[in-house]
Amino acid sequence: MATLKDLARHLNLSVTQVSRALNDHSDVSVATKERVREGAREIGYRPNLTARKLKSGRSGLVAMIVPGRSETVEIEILMETVMGLSAEFSRRGLQFVLHVLSEGDDPAEAHRKLVQNGSVDGVIVTDPQLDDPRIVVLQDSATPFIVHGRDRLDAAYPFVDIDHRAIGHDLAAALLRRGCRSLALIDGPADRPYASLRRAGAEAALAEAGVAPATLHVHPGPMTEARGRADGEYLRDKGMDGAIAGNMMLAAGLRAACPDLSLAAHDDALLRYAADRVPPPLIRTVAPLSDAWVPLCDGLAEAIAGGRPQTLLDIHLSE
Amino acid sequence: MATLKDLARHLNLSVTQVSRALNDHSDVSVATKERVREGAREIGYRPNLTARKLKSGRSGLVAMIVPGRSETVEIEILMETVMGLSAEFSRRGLQFVLHVLSEGDDPAEAHRKLVQNGSVDGVIVTDPQLDDPRIVVLQDSATPFIVHGRDRLDAAYPFVDIDHRAIGHDLAAALLRRGCRSLALIDGPADRPYASLRRAGAEAALAEAGVAPATLHVHPGPMTEARGRADGEYLRDKGMDGAIAGNMMLAAGLRAACPDLSLAAHDDALLRYAADRVPPPLIRTVAPLSDAWVPLCDGLAEAIAGGRPQTLLDIHLSE
DNA sequence: CCAGCAACCCGAAACGTTTCGGATGGAGCG
DNA sequence: CGCTCCATCCGAAACGTTTCGGGTTGCTGG
C-alpha cells in the first residue's frame, strides 16, 4: 500500500506539502496541488484512515447497541431503525458499528464498556425508558450521543423526537369532532415518556372541547396486534365509541375485534407494516419513522462537534 | 483518556514493560503483570484501538455490506443474519460494522472501497450469486473474508455452507418413498449455486430409485409465499403429486394453493417464520440458519490468522 | 538598497501502541 | 574469580498522518 512518504519521494516533495496539497490547504500552489493529485492517482495512493484517526482523535465510528432477541422488543421497528441509520451513516462515510446484546447482558453495562475504550466517536440510543440507565452512563462519559425519543421531558442532551403531545391532542380532537362520547387511549407501556405525553395531549383536547376528563380511559401495554384485539373486545363490551391507538399494529387489532369503533391511530409509516392493513375509516397522525434518520445523523455529527441539538419533528393529521 | 504512558508513570515502569505486561508477554514477572493489571483498573486505562491498529495492522473491526431496501432481498433472512452475526462478534469483542447500501450503489464497488482504505480486519459476504463480483473484488484484495454459502462449487476461499446436495437428495428420496410419481422442485433463483446443487441431489435420488429424470420439473424463482401459491396452482392444474420447496415460505404458498400435494421442504428454522405456519404433513430437512454464526465467526478469525477454513454444516431430515 | 510581504515550502514533533535489540543484575558453575 | 545464562527490564524506532513553527524565495514600495 502506497504511503504519503512514497508519494512525496515520487514527486520530490516533502511529506508535509503532499499532505497539505491533498487536503487542499492554502499555502500550496495550484500547480503543485494538481501535480500531487495526478501522482496520487498514478501510484494508487490511498490515505490510511487509521493513521489519520490516530492523529485527529476521531475514529469515524458511530455505534448503536440493541437488545438481542427478546419478547418485548418491537422487531419491525428495530430492523427499520438499524437499516435506516446504517444506510444514512454509510452515506456520510461514517462506519456504523452494531452491537447486539446477548441474552442476559446489561444494556447500561455494555454502553459503559463501549464508551470506556473510547473507540467510537458517537453513540445512538433508541426507545428510551423513563430515566434510562443507558443515558445516565452516556451522560457521565465524554462520548457524544443522541437519543431517538426522550427519557424525560426536560432532557438536556441531544435528541430527535416527534411531537407526542400533538399526536394525542389531534387524534382526540378529531374523534370528538366526529361526535365520540367515550374515548379509550390504547398506547405503549407506562414507562415510556411518549405515552404520558400523548395522554396529556388527549386530555388537553378534551378540556378544549369542554368534555369531562373522565371520558378518557387509558390503557398502557405492549404495542402488538394481539393486545389491540384483546383491548378491542374489552372496549366493545364496555360500549365505548372511540379509540386512539398508539400505532398501526394496535389499530389493526382494535379494528379486527371491533369493526364499528371510531378509530384514530398514530402511524409511524413503517415500511413493512402498510397503513392499508387497517380498514378505513381511520384518522391518522402520520410521522414516518424513517424521517428521523437524517436529523439523527446530523444531530450526532453536531453533538460530536460540541453542540447539543434538540429536534422535534412535525406530525401530519390525515382524516 | 488514560494512555499507556500515564499508566507507566503511575507505576514507575517503562511503557514497554506495561505494554508487554498487559499483553501477557513472557519476559515480565508475574508480580509485575499483576501490579500492572491492578493499576490499569485503578486509573481506568483502555487501550487505544486506533493506535494499536496503526502499529499492528489489526483494527478489531469486521464488516458486512448489505443491500438496502429492495424487492429481491429476503428481509427476514437478512435481519436474522445481521442480528445473529453481530451478536456473535460482539461476544468475541470484535466490532461489527454494518454498511447498508443506498439505492443505486454498486455492491462490488462498495466492497472495493471498503478494502482499499483497509480499516477492517475481515469481511463477511452472504447470499452469493454465481461468480459473485463482490468475491472477485475481495479475492483481489489483501483483506480476509468469509462467505456464507458459495458462489461456485470449487470455491477456493473460506466459506460456511450447508450440504445442499443432501437437501435435494433427501427430500426427493423421501417423496419417492411415499410413492410420488411426478415431482416439482420449486427453489430459488437460477443464479444461486445452491439451487443447482439441490437439483443435482434430487436428480441423484431419482436415479437411485430408478425413476426417469424427466419426472422432475424444476422451477427457479424468488422464494416468496406469493410465488409458492402461484406455482402451487400451476402444479395442481398439471396434476403433479409431489413438490420440494426451497424454503418454508414457498412451502406455505404451495400448501395454501394445493392442500393435497405431498410436500417436502427445506427449513432454515427462521426465528420469525415458524415451521407450524405450514400445515402437516410435511417432510423437512432442517438446518437452522442460526447455526452458521459461530462457524462463520470462527472461520473469519481463522482466515484473518491466515487459514482458509471451509465448513459444510450437516442437515437433519425430519418426517 | 532594504524592509516588508506573499507565496510557497520543509523538518520535526506528535498521536498511542508494539517490538527490536540491547542492558542490568544475580544465580550457578567450573 | 570469570564466565554463562536467565529473568526482568528499558530506550528508541516504527506504523502513516497532520500540523506547528519556521525557512527561503522573489517581488513591491519607500
Side-chain angles (χ1 to χ4, degrees):
Chain A
M1 188 61 86
T3 90
L4 215 47
K5 192 150 54 166
D6 299 334
L7 185 52
R9 196 165 25 223
H10 178 241
L11 294 170
N12 256 325
L13 276 173
S14 74
V15 172
T16 305
Q17 276 309 91
V18 175
S19 171
R20 299 177 69 89
L22 289 174
N23 294 338
D24 209 26
H25 274 246
S26 60
D27 57 353
V28 181
S29 74
V30 182
T32 305
K33 279 183 189 170
E34 192 37 59
R35 199 159 67 91
V36 169
R37 272 194 278 268
E38 171 58 28
R41 202 172 317 118
E42 215 173 296
I43 70 171
Y45 167 78
R46 297 276 146 182
N48 180 320
L49 294 192
T50 309
R52 181 175 290 174
K53 286 165 192 167
L54 178 59
K55 186 63 188 150
S56 68
R58 294 277 166 82
S59 67
L61 258 43
V62 297
M64 176 165 153
I65 298 182
V66 305
R69 193 146 296 288
S70 85
E71 312 312 322
T72 63
V73 59
E74 304 273 3
I75 189 76
E76 302 284 346
I77 295 183
L78 184 59
M79 287 188 331
E80 193 162 326
T81 305
V82 166
M83 298 299 265
L85 280 176
S86 170
E88 192 57 36
F89 279 118
S90 297
R91 208 167 289 137
R92 290 155 201 249
L94 288 172
Q95 310 214 274
F96 181 78
V97 174
L98 180 66
H99 183 118
V100 175
L101 294 175
S102 301
E103 196 108 13
D105 285 357
D106 174 31
E109 197 45 48
H111 279 81
R112 175 168 295 121
K113 272 210 200 113
L114 180 69
V115 298
Q116 262 185 348
N117 72 26
S119 59
V120 301
D121 292 344
V123 176
I124 297 199
V125 175
T126 60
D127 193 23
Q129 304 167 31
L130 205 56
D131 293 319
D132 200 298
R134 299 172 296 171
I135 295 180
V136 175
V137 166
L138 291 172
Q139 282 183 305
D140 286 349
S141 83
T143 306
F145 66 99
I146 193 165
V147 181
H148 186 207
R150 276 172 286 179
D151 77 331
R152 48 189 310 145
L153 260 187
D154 57 346
Y157 46 76
F159 66 80
V160 172
D161 203 354
I162 54 180
D163 192 344
H164 293 289
R165 215 172 165 292
I167 290 172
H169 177 275
D170 291 4
L171 291 178
L175 285 176
L176 291 171
R177 275 202 303 276
R178 274 173 174 56
C180 290
R181 310 300 305 271
S182 57
L183 294 186
L185 174 58
I186 313 294
D187 205 359
D191 63 350
R192 296 301 196 281
Y194 62 78
S196 40
L197 277 170
R198 290 173 182 180
R199 176 186 189 156
E203 282 167 350
L206 296 196
E208 284 168 18
V211 179
T215 312
L216 187 72
H217 297 254
V218 180
H219 278 219
M223 299 181 84
T224 64
E225 198 166 319
R227 207 262 287 197
R229 208 152 22 221
D231 275 10
E233 279 159 19
Y234 176 81
L235 297 188
R236 195 187 42 209
D237 296 346
K238 282 278 201 180
M240 310 196 76
D241 59 2
I244 302 171
N247 70 10
M248 295 302 282
M249 302 179 224
L250 283 173
L254 285 167
R255 174 65 88 221
C258 208
D260 302 327
L261 198 67
S262 284
L263 191 55
H266 178 65
D267 186 358
D268 294 303
L270 296 187
L271 298 173
R272 310 220 349 121
Y273 201 96
D276 56 19
R277 284 214 219 173
V278 183
L282 176 68
I283 302 162
R284 292 180 301 152
T285 47
V286 184
L289 198 65
S290 56
D291 282 359
W293 314 149
V294 168
L296 273 171
C297 292
D298 286 344
L300 188 53
E302 195 178 331
I304 291 173
R308 194 209 288 162
Q310 303 191 324
T311 309
L312 215 52
L313 297 175
D314 281 339
I315 61 158
H316 166 243
L317 187 69
S318 147
E319 306 195 48
Chain B
M1 186 59 77
T3 91
L4 216 44
K5 193 150 51 168
D6 299 333
L7 185 52
R9 196 164 26 222
H10 177 242
L11 293 171
N12 256 325
L13 275 174
S14 74
V15 171
T16 306
Q17 277 308 91
V18 175
S19 171
R20 299 178 69 89
L22 289 173
N23 294 337
D24 210 28
H25 274 246
S26 59
D27 57 353
V28 181
S29 74
V30 182
T32 305
K33 280 183 189 169
E34 193 38 58
R35 200 159 66 91
V36 170
R37 272 193 281 267
E38 172 57 27
R41 202 172 318 119
E42 217 172 293
I43 70 172
Y45 167 78
R46 294 279 145 178
N48 179 319
L49 297 189
T50 309
R52 179 175 291 175
K53 149 85 177 168
L54 179 59
K55 186 58 192 164
S56 69
R58 293 279 163 81
S59 65
L61 259 43
V62 297
M64 178 165 150
I65 298 182
V66 304
R69 194 146 294 289
S70 85
E71 311 312 323
T72 63
V73 60
E74 303 272 3
I75 189 76
E76 302 283 348
I77 295 183
L78 183 58
M79 259 308 128
E80 193 162 327
T81 304
V82 166
M83 298 299 257
L85 280 176
S86 171
E88 192 56 35
F89 279 117
S90 298
R91 210 167 287 138
R92 291 156 201 247
L94 288 171
Q95 310 215 273
F96 181 79
V97 174
L98 180 66
H99 183 117
V100 175
L101 295 174
S102 301
E103 196 106 14
D105 285 356
D106 174 29
E109 198 45 47
H111 278 81
R112 173 169 296 122
K113 271 207 201 115
L114 180 70
V115 298
Q116 261 184 349
N117 69 27
S119 58
V120 301
D121 291 345
V123 176
I124 297 199
V125 175
T126 60
D127 192 24
Q129 305 168 31
L130 205 57
D131 294 318
D132 198 298
R134 298 172 297 171
I135 296 180
V136 175
V137 166
L138 290 173
Q139 282 183 306
D140 285 350
S141 84
T143 306
F145 66 99
I146 193 164
V147 181
H148 187 206
R150 277 171 286 180
D151 77 330
R152 46 190 311 147
L153 261 187
D154 57 347
Y157 46 75
F159 66 79
V160 172
D161 203 354
I162 53 178
D163 192 343
H164 293 289
R165 216 173 164 289
I167 289 171
H169 177 275
D170 291 4
L171 291 177
L175 285 175
L176 291 172
R177 273 201 304 277
R178 273 170 170 59
C180 291
R181 310 299 307 269
S182 56
L183 296 186
L185 174 58
I186 312 294
D187 205 357
D191 63 351
R192 295 303 196 280
Y194 62 77
S196 41
L197 276 170
R198 291 173 179 181
R199 175 186 190 157
E203 283 167 350
L206 296 196
E208 283 168 19
V211 178
T215 312
L216 186 72
H217 297 254
V218 181
H219 277 219
M223 299 180 83
T224 65
E225 200 164 316
R227 207 262 287 196
R229 208 153 20 226
D231 276 11
E233 279 158 20
Y234 177 80
L235 296 188
R236 194 186 45 209
D237 296 347
K238 281 280 201 176
M240 308 197 77
D241 58 2
I244 302 172
N247 70 9
M248 296 300 284
M249 302 180 223
L250 283 173
L254 285 167
R255 173 66 88 221
C258 209
D260 302 327
L261 198 66
S262 287
L263 192 54
H266 178 64
D267 185 358
D268 293 304
L270 296 187
L271 297 174
R272 312 228 339 128
Y273 202 95
D276 57 19
R277 281 214 220 173
V278 183
L282 177 67
I283 302 161
R284 291 181 303 152
T285 47
V286 184
L289 199 65
S290 56
D291 282 359
W293 315 148
V294 168
L296 273 171
C297 292
D298 286 343
L300 188 53
E302 195 178 329
I304 291 172
R308 195 211 287 163
Q310 304 193 323
T311 308
L312 216 53
L313 297 174
D314 281 339
I315 60 157
H316 165 242
L317 187 68
S318 147
E319 304 194 48

